[in-house]
Amino acid sequence: MTYNIYDKKEIKERPQRKKVILESYIIGQNAPTVLICPGGAYKFVSDSNEGKPYAEKLNAAGYNAFVLFYSVGSGNGRFPYPLYDVARALQFIKSKAKELQINADEISLMGSSAGGHLCAFFATQYTRYEKEYNGKDYSLKPKALVLCYPVITMGEFTHKVSRQIFLGAFSGKAEREKASVELNITSDYPPTFAWHNKDDNSVDVKNSIMLHKALDEKGIQNELHLYETGGHGIGLAEGKDAEGWIDKAIDFLDRNIKK
């Protein structure tokens, strides 16, 4: 099932919102849920390898899943539009919890590459977004995070295309620091699982290492799994060093949420 998460009035105000959709992978059973944000450098949404395959694995493990096609491309992928999309997706899912027979209090985020940045950064910013939706208030704090070869920093070791689209071509130091996840971790941050390949030539492995260090410094429960080879954008990593990462991630989710 595909859902439009913005209403007609909101789409009229900003027509690009018509392309912001949720694809659902529902098992019901009042099971916990994972909202998936595929990568794509904020240029596109790489659902074929970082969306649907993850959702199907999560379903098999007893989780409901949604894949978010968030705002991307020149202008549309600019801060804060993608974060508004995550906030609205969470509100929409929670508002449909009874109808879909899902546990609205147990929603985690999973993101790859730029989608990893979106999820990780949203977890530092969620209190800034409106909780009210259709007359009700909803908590937007993710229960846990799963990050796959994520963009974390907007500084020296960033993925430059992602930064350019998200912050614009002429972002300054202050903007970059505000959008760098590792500089904005607080003690309120959710438990986080991350993995990365050491030979990733697109998103430097230092991104995940910096995140891990920042989480440790704040006492946040986290796991970082590093693999020797595999490069970037490999999804489930079948046949690669990282094959099986999603089983480790699901184990992490199992330990950190109520099932």
Side-chain angles (χ1 to χ4, degrees):
M1 179 76 72
T2 299
Y3 297 97
N4 294 103
I5 60 176
Y6 290 107
D7 61 31
K8 291 181 179 179
K9 180 181 178 182
E10 291 168 325
I11 291 171
K12 186 176 180 180
E13 291 171 350
R14 187 167 168 261
Q16 195 279 337
R17 287 173 171 157
K18 187 174 183 179
K19 297 180 180 180
V20 178
I21 60 172
L22 274 178
E23 286 190 352
S24 64
Y25 296 81
I26 299 297
I27 62 170
Q29 303 172 16
N30 199 37
T33 297
V34 179
L35 175 62
I36 302 168
C37 297
Y42 287 112
K43 291 177 67 176
F44 60 95
V45 175
S46 187
D47 168 62
S48 62
N49 67 323
E50 296 166 352
K52 181 179 179 180
Y54 296 179
E56 291 174 342
K57 287 285 189 180
L58 288 162
N59 283 174
Y63 286 81
N64 293 294
F66 292 84
V67 177
L68 176 61
F69 289 75
Y70 52 91
S71 298
V72 291
S74 180
N76 292 320
R78 183 77 177 264
F79 171 82
Y81 297 135
L83 284 92
Y84 276 118
D85 298 339
V86 174
R88 173 51 59 85
L90 289 170
Q91 292 169 329
F92 181 87
I93 294 167
K94 288 171 181 281
S95 74
K96 297 282 187 181
K98 186 175 181 180
E99 173 187 333
L100 299 175
Q101 297 183 348
I102 65 174
N103 188 337
D105 296 322
E106 308 289 351
I107 303 181
S108 301
L109 300 181
M110 175 183 283
S112 302
S113 193
H117 176 263
L118 177 56
C119 293
F121 186 45
F122 182 82
T124 72
Q125 303 290 305
Y126 72 92
T127 59
R128 299 175 183 269
Y129 292 86
E130 298 225 2
K131 298 180 180 180
E132 191 276 331
Y133 175 65
N134 286 348
K136 292 185 178 181
D137 286 338
Y138 298 98
S139 171
L140 300 182
K141 182 180 179 179
K143 189 70 176 182
L145 301 178
V146 174
L147 308 175
C148 313
Y149 37 85
V151 178
I152 293 298
T153 187
M154 289 286 133
E156 179 182 358
F157 299 107
T158 194
H159 181 249
K160 292 181 180 179
V161 175
S162 296
R163 181 176 69 190
Q164 180 173 335
I165 293 176
F166 190 67
L167 293 180
F170 303 105
S171 59
K173 181 180 178 182
E175 284 180 286
R176 294 176 181 186
E177 289 182 349
K178 287 181 180 178
S180 291
V181 179
E182 79 280 7
L183 300 179
N184 293 281
I185 300 292
T186 69
S187 58
D188 186 50
Y189 207 76
T192 300
F193 176 99
W195 70 276
H196 217 123
N197 294 314
K198 293 180 182 178
D199 68 343
D200 191 328
N201 291 322
S202 294
V203 177
D204 196 308
V205 69
K206 289 185 179 70
N207 281 260
S208 287
I209 293 171
M210 293 165 74
L211 174 67
H212 177 61
K213 181 179 178 182
L215 292 170
D216 277 352
E217 288 176 350
K218 293 295 183 180
I220 306 300
Q221 184 175 353
N222 74 99
E223 287 185 18
L224 172 60
H225 295 262
L226 299 180
Y227 301 95
E228 292 298 323
T229 65
H232 189 75
I234 59 174
L236 292 175
E238 293 172 341
K240 306 285 187 180
D241 288 352
E243 184 172 9
W245 70 263
I246 197 164
D247 299 315
K248 295 182 176 69
I250 289 169
D251 286 344
F252 183 85
L253 291 175
D254 287 346
R255 294 194 305 272
N256 284 281
I257 65 177
K258 298 175 183 177
K259 293 190 67 178

